[in-house]
Amino acid sequence: MKVIDLRVDSKLIKTNFDGYKLSLKPIAILKIENINKVHRRIANSSSEYGFLHSYLFQLHNHFYGDPFLCNTSYYIDETYNVNKISYDSNSGKLKPLTSVYKFKSIQNDEIEGKYNMKLKFVSEKYCLLSDGIGGLQIIDTGDRQKNDEWKKIDSLQPLFEGKGFILQDCKFKIESGEKVIHCLLLYIKQEDDKFYNFVNWITLKEESSTKKWTCVAKRILKGKGTLYYLSFDPHCNAIVYSSNHAYKYIEDNVNEIVEEQSMEITENEEMQAADSHTFQWTQNGEDITINFNRIPDATNDMYHVKSLQSHIEVRCGQQILVKSDLFAEIDVDLTTWTLENDFIQVNLIKRNPDLIWPYLIPSGPMETSQNNSNQPMNLFNTQPVADLNSQMEECDFGDDGNQDDEYFIERLDSVTHKATHKIFLGSNHPLFSKTLRPGFPKAIAIRNDVDCCLWIQQQISPNDEWTLKHEGTLHAFGYVQASKRDKKYLMCSMDMNLSVICESSRHLFIYKNSYSTASGLRKRNGPQVQIGQQKVISFDDVGEIYGINVENEIIMLLTENSIMCLQLAEEE
C-alpha cells in the first residue's frame, strides 16, 4: 500500500486573501409555489436509529442537478413524478415546472430498510433511479434540453431480496463494444448490536440481442464508519472512499477473495500483544527505532523479529510483543535488531524517507520525543496555520473539537481486494463532494488550514499511478464553515468561484472568491490584499429546505412547498 501526501498547488492558494466583505446588495429571487410535495422518507422505525441512519437520511439532498445540462434540476414528488425545473439565462426567468417521468413504486412492508429515492445522470442520454425499497430503473431521457417524456428501458427489482438501498454513485462505460453501467448501492444492517454499512458494487450490461440489462458482476464491501466520500476510480477498477474506519471486501463473484492467514491476529494474540507491547518509538529521517522492555531471563535465541513490506511481528518465545500492520512500507532487507541490557531495539528503514509517520501501528503509542521521553509528539492532528502568531480555535479540530477520530481516503482494488493507496486527513473529514466535470468522479473537498481545497482523482490509463490532483481552492471556506453549527448542505459551483452554506430552514450563506471593487486594497503600510464577497439570505415561512443545486450563475433551492432560484448579480 502506498501512502500519498496531498500537496497543494501554490498557484491555487492566495496567501494575500484577507477574508470576505459583507455585501448588502439584494439578490433577485424567482419563486414557484404550490408544488407537489417532495417524496421524503425519514429514519423513524425502531430499527433505524443509529448515527449511520441519521447521517444518511437527514443530510440527503432531494434536488438533483444535471451535470450534463447546466441550470437544470429535478426532484421526485409524493405522486412518483420526476419534475424538471430549468432557468433560462437569456431571459432571466424560470421555465415552467414540467413532469418528465411517471413511475410506480411497489409498497412492501416486509422490506428491510427503506431509503430515500435517488436520481443519478450517467450520460447525456441515460439516468438511473433507485426507489429506496430494492428497485433500480434504467431510463432513457432522450434530449434533456427538450421536455421530452422519459422512457424506462429496464427495471431491476428486487436486486437484493428483502433489502432496500440508496444509489450512491454510478458510471457509464463502453467496454468491448458493449454498454456497461457500474453502480454503488448502500444499505445499513445491524449485526451483533452494531450498525454496519454494506456497499454493493454491481455491474450491469446490456445484451445486444434482447436490449435487456442484466447484473453480470457483484461485489460487497462492509465497514462500520460513516462514509464521507464514496466513488469509483476513473476506470472503475477500484472503489475510493473516505471514513474513519476501514472497509473490506466480503463477497466477489468475479475474483476470489483470498484471506492472508499470516496477517490475521487472533483475539487471544491481540490481548497478549496489548498487554505486552509497552514500547517506545522515534523516527529520524528515514530511520525508525523501536525499543521494547527486555523480558527477565530472556536469551538472545528466544527473540524473533519478522518484518514484511508493511507488517512487523516481534516475539519472545510464545509471548507477542507486537504483531500489526505498519503505517507505511519499509525496506525489509535493512531491518535490524539488537539486544541490550534493559531493552531490545528494532531498527526499520522507510521506503519513503520524506514521509513523516503519524503513528507506527494502529492504536499504538504515540511517537516519543527525543528531547523528552515523557512528552509524546503529535505530528498528525495539529493543523498548520497561515499566521503563526494566531492561536488555534476549537472549531479548527473537526466536528465538535473532537481530535480522537482520524479520517483517511483509501483506494480498494477490485482484483486484489487490497488497499493500494491511502491518504491520511487527520481529525477533519471531507466537507463535501462535487461533480466538476460530467462523467468524471466527484471532486473531494478537504480542509487545508483555513482554506478548502478540491481534489480530483487522476489516472490517465488503467496501469498508471493513481493520485489526487489539486483542482481549485475555496479561500477561507474551511474556517468559515467550521463556525456554522446549524449547517445542512455545503456546496460549490462547478467553476469553484462560489461556495455555499445552507441551513435546514432559515439562512443561506454565499461566499464569492473575488470582489472586483476590492482590487488594489492594501493593508496599512503593507502589501496588497484580496477579499471576497459574502451574502447572507434569510428566508421566512419556507419550511424545511430539502435540497440545493449550486450553478455558476444561480442557486436553486427546494423547500416544502416551493422552488426558489437565486439570481447571482455580476461581480461588483
Side-chain angles (χ1 to χ4, degrees), residues 28-43:
I29 300 179
L30 306 177
K31 194 172 185 180
I32 296 180
E33 296 183 310
N34 300 320
I35 64 172
N36 289 334
K37 290 187 176 182
V38 180
H39 189 282
R40 179 171 179 260
R41 293 192 178 102
I42 58 175

Side-chain angles (χ1 to χ4, degrees), residues 51-52 55-56 59 166 168 184-188 196-200 221-231 239-248 407-410 412 429-433 442:
F51 177 78
L52 295 179
Y55 182 85
L56 192 63
L59 299 182
I166 184 169
Q168 291 293 92
L184 292 179
L185 313 174
L186 173 68
Y187 63 86
I188 302 170
Y196 294 89
N197 277 325
F198 287 80
V199 180
N200 286 258
L221 296 90
K222 174 185 175 182
K224 65 178 181 179
T226 304
L227 288 168
Y228 295 95
Y229 179 82
L230 180 64
S231 180
I239 283 180
V240 180
Y241 74 97
S242 178
S243 181
N244 58 336
H245 291 278
Y247 279 66
K248 67 175 183 179
Y407 299 93
F408 57 86
I409 299 172
E410 194 169 62
L412 292 178
H429 59 70
L431 299 179
F432 63 93
S433 59
K442 297 175 290 184

Side-chain angles (χ1 to χ4, degrees), residues 121-225:
F121 297 94
V122 295
S123 71
E124 294 89 344
K125 184 180 179 181
Y126 295 111
C127 79
L128 298 183
L129 188 153
S130 64
D131 60 11
I133 54 174
L136 184 68
Q137 298 184 20
I138 305 173
I139 303 171
D140 183 354
T141 63
D143 186 357
R144 293 200 290 271
Q145 292 186 355
K146 304 176 182 179
N147 289 331
D148 296 339
E149 186 174 347
W150 296 359
K151 298 179 181 179
K152 181 175 69 175
I153 299 176
D154 210 340
S155 178
L156 297 93
Q157 185 169 359
L159 278 176
F160 316 114
E161 295 183 1
K163 293 185 179 67
F165 60 82
I166 184 169
L167 176 63
Q168 291 293 92
D169 193 28
C170 50
K171 174 82 171 181
F172 176 82
K173 295 185 68 181
I174 302 294
E175 297 179 358
S176 302
E178 296 180 308
K179 297 177 182 178
V180 174
I181 299 179
H182 296 273
C183 306
L184 292 179
L185 313 174
L186 173 68
Y187 63 86
I188 302 170
K189 185 178 178 181
Q190 187 175 8
E191 292 183 354
D192 301 326
D193 297 327
K194 293 182 181 180
F195 289 109
Y196 294 89
N197 277 325
F198 287 80
V199 180
N200 286 258
W201 174 357
I202 64 171
T203 303
L204 308 176
K205 181 179 290 186
E206 182 190 48
E207 296 182 0
S208 56
S209 58
T210 62
K211 300 299 181 182
K212 291 289 186 180
W213 290 79
T214 58
C215 181
V216 296
K218 179 181 177 182
R219 304 173 178 92
I220 302 179
L221 296 90
K222 174 185 175 182
K224 65 178 181 179

Side-chain angles (χ1 to χ4, degrees), residues 559-571:
T559 68
E560 291 184 21
N561 300 305
S562 66
I563 294 175
M564 293 184 290
C565 176
L566 282 64
Q567 297 174 296
L568 306 178
E570 296 294 330
E571 291 186 357

Side-chain angles (χ1 to χ4, degrees), residues 16-135:
N16 61 341
F17 189 79
D18 202 43
Y20 292 93
K21 178 182 177 182
L22 180 64
S23 172
L24 299 179
K25 184 176 180 180
I27 293 180
I29 300 179
L30 306 177
K31 194 172 185 180
I32 296 180
E33 296 183 310
N34 300 320
I35 64 172
N36 289 334
K37 290 187 176 182
V38 180
H39 189 282
R40 179 171 179 260
R41 293 192 178 102
I42 58 175
N44 56 0
S45 70
S46 59
S47 62
E48 299 172 340
Y49 57 84
F51 177 78
L52 295 179
H53 294 98
S54 299
Y55 182 85
L56 192 63
F57 282 85
Q58 302 302 329
L59 299 182
H60 183 81
N61 191 347
H62 297 263
F63 218 17
Y64 311 109
D66 187 347
F68 299 90
L69 184 62
C70 64
N71 299 339
T72 304
S73 302
Y74 301 83
Y75 84 96
I76 304 171
D77 64 27
E78 288 184 329
T79 60
Y80 303 104
N81 277 306
V82 178
N83 299 284
K84 172 185 176 182
I85 183 69
S86 298
Y87 172 77
D88 189 344
S89 57
N90 294 323
S91 64
K93 296 181 180 179
L94 287 173
K95 295 181 181 180
L97 185 66
T98 308
S99 176
V100 294
Y101 185 63
K102 174 75 173 179
F103 66 97
K104 294 182 180 180
S105 179
I106 302 175
Q107 299 299 321
N108 188 349
D109 294 334
E110 297 181 357
I111 289 292
E112 179 185 342
K114 297 181 180 180
Y115 299 85
N116 286 302
M117 297 181 180
K118 192 71 173 286
L119 195 67
K120 295 282 289 187
F121 297 94
V122 295
S123 71
E124 294 89 344
K125 184 180 179 181
Y126 295 111
C127 79
L128 298 183
L129 188 153
S130 64
D131 60 11
I133 54 174

Side-chain angles (χ1 to χ4, degrees), residues 429-447:
H429 59 70
L431 299 179
F432 63 93
S433 59
K434 173 71 176 182
T435 300
L436 300 181
R437 301 173 189 171
F440 286 78
K442 297 175 290 184
I444 313 174
I446 302 173
R447 181 172 178 181

